[in-house]
Amino acid sequence: MSANKSGDGGWKTFIWNSEKNEFLGRTGSSWFKIFIFYVIFYGCLAGIFIGTIQAMLLTLSNYKPTYQDRVAPPGLSHSPCPDKAEISYSIEEKTYKPYVDHIKKFLKAYNIENQREESKFEDCGEKPEPYTNRGALESDYGLRKACRFNRAWLKDCAGLEKKDEDFGFNEGKPCLIVKLNRIVNFRPRPPASNESIPEPARPNVQLNLIPIHCTNKREEDAEHLGPIEYFGLGPGFPLQYYPYYGKLLHPDYLQPLVAIKFHNITRGYEMRIECKVYGENIDYNEKDRYQGRFDIKITINS
C-alpha cells in the first residue's frame, strides 16, 4: 500500500510541485519562453507560406490563364451531344425528343429577347467581317460588349417556325448546331490558301470565315450520306466574334454558331460523319476526337 501511495504522490508532484512552483516539470517562466519560441517559429512558417502564395499570385493574370500549354485550340462541339457521340432514332417523337430538347435548351441563350440590352450587346454585321477590336486584354477598357447572334440566321435549324420546331428530326433530316469552344484571347486564322484544305471543303472558303466541312468518315459510306446544308453567317465561323476576353471582361459573350442539316441519310444505315474546321492555327489530334473536329454516328431507323 505504501508503494502505491508513494507512486501517486510522485505523479501529483510531477503535475504540480508546490515547493518549486513547477507545472509538469517547468516553471512559469520556462513555459512562457517555450510559448514565445513556438509563436515566433510558427509565425515565421506562416509568413513564408503567405509570402510564397503572394509571390505566385503576382505572376497570375486576372483575365487570362498564365499557362495554356495543355490547351490545344480549339475544340469543336455540337448539340445534341449524346453519349458516345451516337444519334439513333426512328420517326417517332418519343425517340428523338431528347435530342430536340437538348438543342432547344442550348439555343435558349440565343433568343433575340436575351440580347436586347445595348450596354451588353452590339450588332456586328450579318456577313463575315474582320476581328472586332475591343482593346487589349489587360487594360482599363472595362467590360466588353458581345456581338449579337440572331438565332434566325440558322434558318431551317433555328426551331423558330412551327414546321422547324423539331429541327428536322421528324422528317429524317436532322440538324446539328456546332460551335468552336471558347479560348481566352484566341484568334482563329482562316486557311492561308485553298491548297491547304481538301478539295471538297474549298467551296466553303470565304473571306473572314473559319470554314467547316462535313463528310462521310468511311469511303464506303459516301452513297448513303446525301446533301448537306450549312446555315449561319456562312458555312463557318465569322471572325468578328473573336477574340473572347474571358468571363470577367466578356460575361455575355455568345459564340457564333453553324447549323448543319443532313438531307438524305439512308434509313436504317449506321452513318459515320466527320466534321472539321480549317484554319492556319487549327490542328487535329487523333487521340482527341473534338480537337478541331468531331466524329458522330447517325442512324435513322425505319
Side-chain angles (χ1 to χ4, degrees):
M1 292 293 291
S2 61
N4 289 339
K5 289 181 179 179
S6 176
D8 292 341
W11 279 107
K12 291 178 181 178
T13 302
F14 175 72
I15 294 173
W16 173 250
N17 190 326
S18 58
E19 294 180 1
K20 298 180 180 180
N21 291 327
E22 291 179 346
F23 176 69
L24 296 178
R26 291 183 180 275
T27 62
S29 61
S30 177
W31 279 115
F32 179 74
K33 291 175 183 177
I34 289 176
F35 174 77
I36 294 299
F37 169 79
Y38 280 107
V39 167
I40 295 173
F41 176 72
Y42 286 112
C44 290
L45 287 182
I48 293 172
F49 176 77
I50 294 172
T52 303
I53 296 298
Q54 290 297 324
M56 183 190 70
L57 291 176
L58 292 175
T59 68
L60 301 179
S61 169
N62 291 326
Y63 309 107
K64 179 184 177 182
T66 302
Y67 301 104
Q68 291 182 293
D69 54 312
R70 298 189 68 180
V71 177
L76 188 67
S77 56
H78 55 85
S79 176
C81 188
D83 294 338
K84 299 181 181 179
E86 296 181 10
I87 293 177
S88 179
Y89 73 99
S90 60
I91 310 301
E92 295 181 18
E93 185 177 4
K94 64 181 181 180
T95 65
Y96 61 74
K97 189 176 185 300
Y99 305 129
V100 171
D101 289 345
H102 192 283
I103 296 177
K104 286 181 178 178
K105 182 178 179 181
F106 174 74
L107 289 178
K108 191 174 181 179
Y110 289 84
N111 290 340
I112 198 65
E113 61 266 19
N114 296 329
Q115 305 177 52
R116 296 193 188 280
E117 196 167 339
E118 294 294 333
S119 62
K120 296 181 179 180
F121 296 94
E122 62 181 348
D123 292 325
C124 297
E126 297 187 11
K127 63 179 182 178
E129 301 285 352
Y131 303 113
T132 302
N133 183 13
R134 295 187 174 89
L137 185 64
E138 299 192 47
S139 66
D140 297 328
Y141 192 84
L143 294 180
R144 273 56 165 188
K145 289 185 178 182
C147 284
R148 292 186 176 94
F149 188 92
N150 192 338
R151 181 174 167 178
W153 294 336
L154 301 180
K155 297 182 179 178
D156 294 357
C157 298
L160 295 175
E161 303 292 335
K162 181 69 176 177
K163 62 184 179 67
D164 300 324
E165 63 182 1
D166 289 325
F167 303 98
F169 280 84
N170 58 327
E171 302 175 318
K173 300 177 181 180
C175 293
L176 293 181
I177 311 299
V178 184
K179 63 183 176 68
L180 277 175
N181 293 343
R182 302 178 184 186
I183 297 178
V184 176
N185 210 32
F186 176 65
R187 289 172 169 82
R189 297 195 298 272
S193 65
N194 278 1
E195 286 69 30
S196 64
I197 63 176
E199 186 173 350
R202 292 176 187 175
N204 291 350
V205 176
Q206 295 182 13
L207 187 66
N208 300 318
L209 191 79
I210 304 298
I212 185 172
H213 179 70
C214 298
T215 187
N216 46 289
K217 179 72 173 177
R218 303 173 299 192
E219 291 185 10
E220 61 268 26
D221 291 346
E223 61 181 301
H224 299 284
L225 181 56
I228 300 173
E229 198 168 5
Y230 304 88
F231 301 113
L233 293 184
F237 303 98
L239 298 186
Q240 67 259 42
Y241 288 81
Y242 301 96
Y244 166 55
Y245 286 84
K247 288 184 177 181
L248 190 62
L249 296 177
H250 225 164
D252 300 292
Y253 176 76
L254 293 174
Q255 294 138 288
L257 304 176
V258 175
I260 303 170
K261 186 166 187 174
F262 302 96
H263 279 277
N264 195 23
I265 294 177
T266 300
R267 300 285 179 89
Y269 189 81
E270 188 181 89
M271 188 71 222
R272 296 187 177 181
I273 299 168
E274 180 181 64
C275 295
K276 279 187 175 182
V277 287
Y278 297 92
E280 194 175 343
N281 57 345
I282 295 175
D283 300 315
Y284 315 103
N285 188 334
E286 289 301 322
K287 295 181 180 179
D288 185 351
R289 65 166 60 181
Y290 288 104
Q291 183 178 325
R293 65 183 181 91
F294 66 80
D295 298 339
I296 190 164
K297 186 190 301 180
I298 301 179
T299 306
I300 305 174
N301 301 304
S302 301

